[in-house]
Amino acid sequence: MGKSLYEKVWEAHEVRRLKNGMSQLFIDLHLLHEVTSPQAFGMLKDLGLKVRYPHRTFATVDHIVPTHDRTEPFQDPLAQGMLEALRKNTREHGITFFDLGSGHQGIVHIVGPQEGLTQPGMTIACGDSHTSTHGAFGAIAFGIGTTQVRDVLATQTLAAQRLKVRRINVEGQLGPGVYAKDVILHIIRHLGVKGGLGYAYEYGGSTVEAMDMESRMTLCNMSIEGGARVGYVNPDETTFRYLEGRPYVPKGVEWEEAKRRWLAFRSDPDATYDDVVTFRAEEIAPTVTWGVNPGQAIPIDGRIPLLEELPEEERAQAEDALAYMGLKPGQPIKGVPIQVAFIGSCTNARLSDLREVARYLKGHKVKKGVRALVVPGSEWIAKKAEEEGIAEVFREAGFEWRNPGCSMCLAMNPDRLEGDELAASSSNRNYKGRMGSPRGRTVLMSPVMVAAAAVAGEIADAREVFGIGR
Amino acid sequence: MLERITTIRGRAVPLRGKDIDTDRILPARFMKALTFEGLGQYLFYDERFDERGNPKPHPLNDPRYQGATILLVESGFGSGSSREHAPQAIKRAGFRALIGESFAEIFFGNATAIGLPCVALAPEDLGVLFQMVEENPELEVEIDLVQKEVRFGGRVAPLSIREEAREALVEGLWDPIGELLQAGELLDEFDRKLPYPRRAE
């Protein structure tokens, strides 16, 4: 009987069974950032332990980086302290650190693939839930807590629980102006934010096979918003084309060998799954959220559901979400005024995202009164965007072009919403207070849709604003 | 040797709401610290306090529930980010266990690894427990991880928890570091066998 990629990778990395029945799983690649690692290094020190295999750990700084002025010391001493702690910890333990100004710094889930650290068939862990992003390469990648960061530093292993696998097929061709972000919001809308509990999501089907790597990363990135700790796509020629020539990817004879090894991890044609669901690409429209979790979403031309249209157990939650958002049941989402537009985050701050937006934004202006920010995902992306003239398109349109980091997505740096401002955002979470103001409101959408909202001054259909598909 | 966590007895705080995410449990701005110390005071901060820092009506601010050691929640609790800061804040605010309908995976793993059991009840039993605690905040609740049941007000409700996690708690193996380290040379074997990112010269 055939096996899925998940099963093959798991079996190749299971060191042994623990007394309680969990598995000790070897982690090929460990990624660190400044927020969830200092306590782990502290625990390591308390236990008198060292980092066992420092060549398998890489670090960068992303969450607390000011995007406007990165002159050190930062204005926020706590942020500066976190950066310095990471510098000190990586230096003391011999861990590679992509520091500010190195040309390699950026959001950890953007830097991994960009440097070629992320490779098929790997197990990858990081103290950040969006580690699922790396699954786009056919890796089993997942977020861990700080105590587990300590475990990986000390042993390169984790006590882990095997998941079930749900195959999610997306078939057909996406319409003009419809992106991977819309696909994942559509999936979460239908399977629910708890739908993935206990599952790894394997994405496939003709739509996913046709996606470039950056789109696949967006898809896998938000698996966690669907409740699935892991999401992945089987490696193929698209994966290899992306990886070839990147700094940490094998070269020459080793490259050919690596490709053979990677292909062997692909799910067998007769692999069995614990569940299979299929979506049609033609049924997916540009999708936006109306509530306070990523499953509370609708097509841009739809209206917010009436409470009685929702399953009974979701009504109280929807009522509470609408009260927070200042929206009404049955109201169209299109036309709701915005105060802030944010393009960035590990979901959608890649070069392809910025290129795609620039293509349409050129010649348009951000509506007066809208604060529009674009925060590239890494120093490398920022540089490329300058070279290609993309940064200039954003500036001319009235966007603030910022330095790379996580920025407003969770607002651990100075970028944040004020009061009850409403933001059109390309990030991944619309939770209450997520963007730094306890009353701030977030509407999730694709980067092109954020640009359309910035231009219109309200939530808008990018296909209309930019004449996409005509 | 770690504590064997077998039974937790105490009063409970009923916290209504489905899919409560970790941003609500511990807002991101309180994560700017190098240790977990003092996190208890920021638990559910934005729901408990207004923008001037004045308390708002919230079960955790309710004097009737002060001193409770069990947090009663609904379904999908702890969704969102991997921040261990969330269960750390719950533990440091004095809680010793959670009872709910379901928990997000990373949250569950983080909580278990710091010795904070998250047990699930069937929706009907959970509904009764919520109601009884809201009517009588003095109600004594007992979580028994050995018998796999929750006892309250003369009732007995079967609890569910992933068996591996239950065993880890009951056997005092909830922090796995000791056992992971025992793999010793087996780890070196895996390190030699499995490729890692290698920058070419």
Side-chain angles (χ1 to χ4, degrees), chain A residues 261-300:
Chain A
R261 178 182 139 83
W262 294 340
L263 276 178
F265 281 111
R266 278 179 63 91
S267 293
D268 296 323
D270 60 343
T272 50
Y273 297 96
D274 299 285
D275 189 30
V276 179
V277 288
T278 299
F279 294 93
R280 296 292 321 172
E282 298 78 18
E283 288 169 10
I284 305 175
T287 302
V288 298
T289 57
W290 53 263
V292 296
N293 75 45
Q296 293 173 323
I298 48 170
I300 180 62

Side-chain angles (χ1 to χ4, degrees), chain A residues 74 249 421 463:
Chain A
F74 302 151
V249 168
E421 279 182 331
R463 295 171 300 188

Side-chain angles (χ1 to χ4, degrees), chain A residues 192 290 295-296 307 310-319, chain B residues 18:
Chain A
W290 53 263
Q296 293 173 323
L307 294 177
L310 293 168
E312 206 178 326
E313 66 273 15
E314 288 176 24
R315 288 177 201 166
Q317 233 180 327
E319 211 173 348
Chain B
K18 297 185 199 316

Side-chain angles (χ1 to χ4, degrees), chain A residues 314-389:
Chain A
E314 288 176 24
R315 288 177 201 166
Q317 233 180 327
E319 211 173 348
D320 175 66
L322 287 169
Y324 181 85
M325 293 299 291
L327 300 170
K328 296 205 160 42
Q331 178 187 348
I333 191 81
K334 210 161 81 173
V336 172
I338 67 156
Q339 290 78 48
V340 174
F342 172 67
I343 295 179
S345 86
C346 59
T347 317
N348 281 122
R350 299 192 186 82
L351 192 57
S352 59
D353 295 315
L354 305 184
R355 277 182 184 148
E356 186 71 6
V357 174
R359 191 177 141 203
Y360 293 114
L361 190 63
K362 206 175 168 73
H364 289 272
K365 291 277 183 216
V366 170
K367 182 99 167 183
K368 203 163 175 274
V370 173
R371 186 155 58 101
L373 267 77
V374 53
V375 183
S378 70
E379 290 181 347
W380 181 85
I381 294 170
K383 181 165 166 276
K384 291 292 281 183
E386 290 288 358
E387 286 167 9
E388 293 182 15

